[in-house]
Amino acid sequence: MSLWTSLEPLSTTVDPGSSATVRLRLRNTGDVVDEYRFEPIGGLAPWTTVEPQTLRLYPGTTGSVELTFAPPRTPDATAGPNPYAVRITPTEHPEAVTVPEGNLTITPFTEVRAELVPPVVKGRFRGRPRLAVDNLGNTKVTASLSGSDSGDRLSYDIQPSNVQIEPGRATFVRTTLKPRQIIWFGSKEEQPYALALRRSGAKSVDVDGTYVQRGFLPGWLATVLGLLLTLTIAFVVIWLAYKPQVRSMATEKSSETVSAIPPPKESAAPTSAPPTPEPEKTPETETKSPDGDGGGGGGSETKKPPERTAAVAVHEIAALSEGRHICYRVYVADRGWQDPVCDGATAGTVGKGLPIKAINIAVSKTKGVRGASAYVVEGWRKGDKWQQQSTGKDMYLGSTKESYSSMQGFTIGVTEGSVCQDSNVKDKGWYGHSCTKPGEWVYSGSPMNLKLQLEAIRLRV
């Protein structure tokens, strides 16, 4: 052989996305002038450059070239030791090829990308999004997955819950979201949630999504059923107050028949006429006077159906379902009291510019509820007291009086357990779900410095 070679250093390390340089020294040990051509070979050849690509040496002289390695920051740059080689071909003796070999260690890097497909899912009882996880690093990724949301309103079934992904590969994780409470009546509600990808010794990757829960039955059906129930109660009350008079026609028909039969010739005329019967008293002829003397001139009174307050609603739902419950209704300006709703449903109006003036709240199995109201103009109105009421009783915040300002917020707390709230404020929309620790209270509504009217609320215990 007429060529001596040496790699300096023989082994080196490089980070993906950067470069490293190795010097190749060679000496012409022959007796003729020769020119040498250099060609990288092996798996690292696409990322290797040689400068200069040819070198001319006289007998007994030494020269050098530089090998530059620049692996990209992609999964193709496999982490760990990677052998490389350079083919040296002499021009004068092309058959005397020399191939010096070295070792290049590529450092590992991790890059994970996750995406929800689709980011928004809709359903009445469940939603089924998929999480796409891509390993863009050059090492295997092992991770676990979990789901979370504010208020713990959803349950998560993730398959698989642990994944191992090779470099440059991707996997799909099936997720089933189930609401913990079904919306029987009303419009759809949006519930933000997040899926977390956790790896040992690394920061978790959180992917946000939205589950839109639809009502089982349309909201207008609840209004129709409520109207039918009201009409039924009103009909029963009127029926009991005004009993219809039912008279039998049998007596009248008998009298007509008797008068039509001629009396016998032997019968003598009656000596006297039969006594005239007194007129029968009926509810139509006997009307109680307003002062109670039974005289005429007064009309009967119609009983009004009982008011459906939050306490009535919470007793009804507590009889059907165990556990803690909270029911509430709001007094909307120019509209009056709405029907009570329970356990996270929306009370008030959204986007109609109608403020809330008063709130009626009742709870079950929380050992009581307490709260105070804040107003758009006065803030905390001087003289208003902190309201507190026991389980199953009505608590009122604010006032329906015209002289009182609209509400901009309120504080609420329960004696046992925690309470969660979400409020809709004029021009700001829903402020977001928040919960108290057991025994504490939470503020719901517009920040005090903004002085914006409260338009809708949602409460849970």
Side-chain angles (χ1 to χ4, degrees):
M1 178 179 293
S2 61
L3 182 65
W4 170 87
T5 62
S6 174
L7 288 169
E8 300 175 357
L10 187 62
S11 298
T12 188
T13 302
V14 64
D15 295 327
S18 60
S19 61
T21 302
V22 174
R23 175 170 294 183
L24 173 61
R25 297 173 60 85
L26 63 161
R27 178 185 302 160
N28 184 357
T29 58
D31 52 4
V32 296
V33 177
D34 210 340
E35 187 177 55
Y36 303 95
R37 290 182 288 106
F38 304 92
E39 180 185 3
I41 59 176
L44 299 181
W47 311 325
T48 306
T49 58
V50 182
E51 290 293 338
Q53 296 182 352
T54 60
L55 183 64
R56 185 179 181 85
L57 294 177
Y58 288 92
T61 60
T62 301
S64 64
V65 296
E66 288 188 349
L67 307 178
T68 302
F69 304 96
R73 190 177 175 84
T74 64
D76 297 332
T78 306
N82 293 267
Y84 68 90
V86 179
R87 180 189 291 121
I88 305 175
T89 305
T91 302
E92 296 296 331
H93 302 283
E95 71 281 358
V97 175
T98 303
V99 183
E101 298 179 354
N103 186 71
L104 178 69
T105 299
I106 300 177
T107 59
F109 76 95
T110 302
E111 184 176 347
V112 178
R113 181 181 300 166
E115 181 181 4
L116 271 173
V117 183
V120 179
V121 291
K122 301 177 181 180
R124 292 181 175 85
F125 305 106
R126 62 182 56 87
R128 292 189 176 95
R130 293 198 303 167
L131 181 67
V133 184
D134 297 291
N135 182 5
L136 304 181
N138 63 354
T139 58
K140 181 189 294 185
V141 168
T142 301
S144 61
L145 296 106
S146 62
S148 63
D149 61 275
S150 60
D152 193 25
R153 300 176 64 182
L154 301 174
S155 63
Y156 304 85
D157 182 15
I158 302 175
Q159 296 294 335
S161 59
N162 296 280
V163 294
Q164 286 188 345
I165 310 172
E166 297 293 334
R169 297 300 182 91
T171 187
F172 284 89
V173 179
R174 299 185 303 274
T175 304
T176 302
L177 310 175
K178 293 183 179 179
R180 300 188 185 277
Q181 185 174 2
I182 298 174
I183 301 176
W184 294 106
F185 295 97
S187 59
K188 60 186 179 181
E189 292 186 8
E190 294 185 357
Q191 176 59 48
Y193 69 95
L195 297 182
L197 188 74
R198 293 184 170 87
R199 296 169 291 146
S200 177
K203 185 178 180 181
S204 66
V205 178
D206 296 331
V207 185
D208 296 328
T210 302
Y211 172 62
V212 180
Q213 184 181 2
R214 295 170 174 168
F216 183 73
L217 295 174
W220 61 264
L221 183 58
T223 303
V224 171
L225 293 178
L227 181 60
L228 291 176
L229 179 61
T230 303
L231 293 175
T232 302
I233 294 174
F235 177 77
V236 171
V237 171
I238 294 174
W239 177 272
L240 295 177
Y242 298 96
K243 291 184 178 179
Q245 181 182 3
V246 180
R247 295 181 297 178
S248 175
M249 300 299 293
T251 303
E252 299 177 4
K253 289 293 184 180
S254 299
S255 301
E256 293 176 0
T257 304
V258 171
S259 61
I261 300 175
K265 296 180 179 179
E266 298 82 13
S267 61
T271 57
S272 62
T276 303
E278 295 182 2
E280 182 181 357
K281 295 182 179 180
T282 65
E284 295 179 352
T285 59
E286 182 179 3
T287 305
K288 189 176 180 179
S289 62
D291 54 0
D293 59 359
S300 61
E301 297 181 357
T302 302
K303 296 182 180 179
K304 293 183 179 180
E307 183 180 7
R308 183 172 170 80
T309 65
V312 174
V314 85
H315 281 294
E316 292 175 354
I317 194 172
L320 298 175
S321 174
E322 296 182 355
R324 298 187 179 95
H325 298 283
I326 182 169
C327 294
Y328 44 95
R329 60 174 183 155
V330 298
Y331 187 94
V332 180
D334 300 329
R335 297 290 180 88
W337 286 108
Q338 293 186 341
D339 290 334
V341 295
C342 303
D343 297 338
T346 300
T349 60
V350 177
K352 296 183 179 180
L354 299 175
I356 294 175
K357 298 201 66 176
I359 305 176
N360 171 208
I361 303 173
V363 296
S364 67
K365 293 189 177 181
T366 66
K367 294 186 178 180
V369 63
R370 62 186 185 276
S373 53
Y375 301 91
V376 174
V377 178
E378 298 89 342
W380 302 107
R381 183 187 291 271
K382 185 176 181 181
D384 277 3
K385 297 180 179 180
W386 182 276
Q387 303 295 321
Q388 186 164 353
Q389 193 55 268
S390 58
T391 297
K393 300 297 182 65
D394 285 308
M395 180 184 76
Y396 290 88
L397 302 178
S399 175
T400 61
K401 295 180 180 179
E402 186 176 355
S403 59
Y404 269 57
S405 301
S406 303
M407 294 180 65
Q408 75 175 37
F410 62 98
T411 56
I412 186 172
V414 290
T415 304
E416 183 178 274
S418 63
V419 59
C420 301
Q421 66 79 34
D422 193 1
S423 57
N424 189 285
V425 179
K426 180 182 180 182
D427 300 329
K428 297 294 183 180
W430 291 102
Y431 257 78
H433 201 77
S434 62
C435 302
T436 68
K437 295 181 179 178
E440 295 184 355
W441 57 268
V442 65
Y443 177 79
S444 177
S446 165
M448 300 294 289
N449 60 325
L450 296 182
K451 294 185 177 182
L452 297 176
Q453 65 190 28
L454 183 66
E455 295 186 350
I457 60 172
R458 297 171 182 161
L459 301 176
R460 288 178 60 89
V461 293

